[in-house]
Amino acid sequence: MLTAYLSHPDCERHVMGPDHPECPERLAALNDHLLIKGLLDCVQPVDAPEATDAQLLRVHDAAWLYRLQDLIPTEGYARLDADTLVNPFTLRAARRAAGAAAHAVDLVLSGQAPNAFCAVRPPGHHAGRHGGSGFCFFNNASVAVAQALSEHGLQRVALVDFDVHHGDGSEDIWAGDERVLLCSSYQADLFPFRDASPPAANVVLAPLPARSGGPAMRAAIETHWLPALARFAPELIVVSAGFDAHREDDMGNLGWSEADYLWLSQQLLAQAQASCGGRIVSCLEGGYSLSALARSAAAHLRVLVEA
Ligand SMILES: [Zn+2]
């Protein structure tokens, strides 16, 4: 059985204007690199379906769906916030990205794939229950978590977020829900500038100082995440896989390398193998240096493929 690799051409039709860092070329760069490295030969490619309203409404309120639908222009762009724009294809792309995450859960939990990676955009972890922000519209990883809980009856799902930005949307959705353990590392003092105190017992935060580098990340993960994950014993690990903590990415300043993403992915796989037969569903979040994104995501995917 091969790792499921979910994507869709619609994800490249969502554009937020010229020179926006969250651009379609991100997926093209990733695909090119995976092709060159032979990794696309080691996965089962799956066309991402669109998320249904029912799947989206498990983590978002209906008012946000209506507001986003109303915002979509027939041509050109419309603005959600200072950094987040929509074009005529945004809603379709966002539904594909969330639908990929939900379908990936179906594939992994039904035994049709050992694990899965969703190469999708727009990203999702800044989208909360009441709306999107920070390049995000629907919280893809949270849609995956909800699919596992509601559709498949799982009782313990871990959501792990190593994007350089704090996943405030995921925190809004899951804080206080004991069925979910949310582990999040991020650069302190960066968007969305949220207080670093955990809002509930099921949230484990590992804020990292700017310029702290890979060794500080590894120490924080070993101290904060791994014991919590071992205690929780998840039946599935969902990953918000952002690669913008890479040292070549201008969006943050943590100085990670491909080796750090490889190490982190290996730790998550080891936990998944210990508690849930290796079941991981990973969703692309940030990563804006095209080359660094492609190399880092390839390191992450290689761990899944070789599991
Ligand atoms: Zn990010």
Side-chain angles (χ1 to χ4, degrees):
M1 267 194 318
L2 301 177
T3 295
Y5 184 83
L6 296 93
S7 195
H8 196 280
D10 282 347
C11 291
E12 299 191 44
R13 302 181 79 193
H14 158 62
V15 180
M16 295 194 282
D19 305 322
H20 197 292
E22 205 291 276
C23 58
E25 288 78 10
R26 298 176 62 232
L27 291 184
L30 174 57
N31 271 300
D32 281 356
H33 185 75
L34 297 179
L35 188 67
I36 290 165
K37 290 295 177 185
L39 273 167
L40 287 186
D41 296 331
C42 307
V43 298
Q44 43 170 324
V46 179
D47 261 356
E50 290 189 41
T52 64
D53 283 355
Q55 287 169 332
L56 296 173
L57 289 170
R58 290 184 190 133
V59 300
H60 298 292
D61 57 28
W64 166 232
L65 262 65
Y66 295 137
R67 186 153 68 91
L68 181 57
Q69 283 165 7
D70 289 346
L71 185 64
I72 301 296
T74 52
E75 60 183 38
Y77 303 102
R79 193 173 287 276
L80 176 66
D81 64 30
D83 306 315
T84 313
L85 294 89
V86 297
N87 78 346
F89 307 104
T90 298
L91 185 59
R92 179 83 48 95
R95 279 188 181 273
R96 294 282 184 197
H103 190 52
V105 167
D106 292 342
L107 292 174
V108 170
L109 293 184
S110 66
Q112 296 176 71
N115 51 44
F117 183 76
C118 301
V120 294
R121 55 180 293 278
H125 73 152
H126 295 304
R129 193 164 289 282
H130 307 298
S133 75
F135 315 165
C136 301
F137 301 94
F138 299 138
N139 196 311
N140 309 320
S142 290
V143 168
V145 171
Q147 181 79 1
L149 296 171
S150 300
E151 200 72 28
H152 296 274
L154 265 54
Q155 298 181 347
R156 295 183 314 283
V157 179
L159 173 52
V160 170
D161 186 336
F162 57 74
D163 191 275
V164 80
H165 301 99
H166 188 164
D168 54 337
S170 306
E171 200 172 283
D172 281 345
I173 292 167
W174 299 113
D177 188 329
E178 298 297 331
R179 300 173 299 171
V180 177
L181 175 69
L182 175 58
C183 294
S184 179
S185 66
Y186 56 91
Q187 182 179 327
D189 306 321
L190 202 64
F191 178 88
F193 307 106
R194 178 171 281 206
D195 187 349
S197 52
N202 69 319
V203 177
V204 178
L205 299 180
L208 299 163
R211 295 179 293 284
S212 53
M217 176 275 283
R218 297 187 193 205
I221 298 309
E222 285 175 339
T223 304
H224 300 294
W225 283 17
L226 299 183
L229 284 165
R231 275 195 304 274
F232 186 69
E235 298 167 291
L236 171 71
I237 296 179
V238 175
V239 184
S240 270
F243 299 97
D244 39 7
H246 193 281
R247 61 179 56 145
E248 293 170 25
D249 199 310
D250 294 337
M251 201 67 81
N253 199 8
L254 284 184
W256 298 4
S257 66
E258 294 89 317
D260 293 315
Y261 289 108
L262 180 71
W263 178 87
L264 189 42
S265 306
Q266 288 168 335
Q267 304 307 309
L268 297 178
L269 176 65
Q271 176 56 55
Q273 286 173 331
S275 68
C276 55
R279 299 192 301 203
I280 293 178
V281 168
S282 181
C283 305
L284 179 64
E285 299 280 1
Y288 304 98
S289 161
L290 298 184
S291 174
L293 163 66
R295 286 180 274 123
S296 304
H300 175 65
L301 183 62
R302 189 176 293 282
V303 171
L304 298 182
V305 163
E306 294 177 354

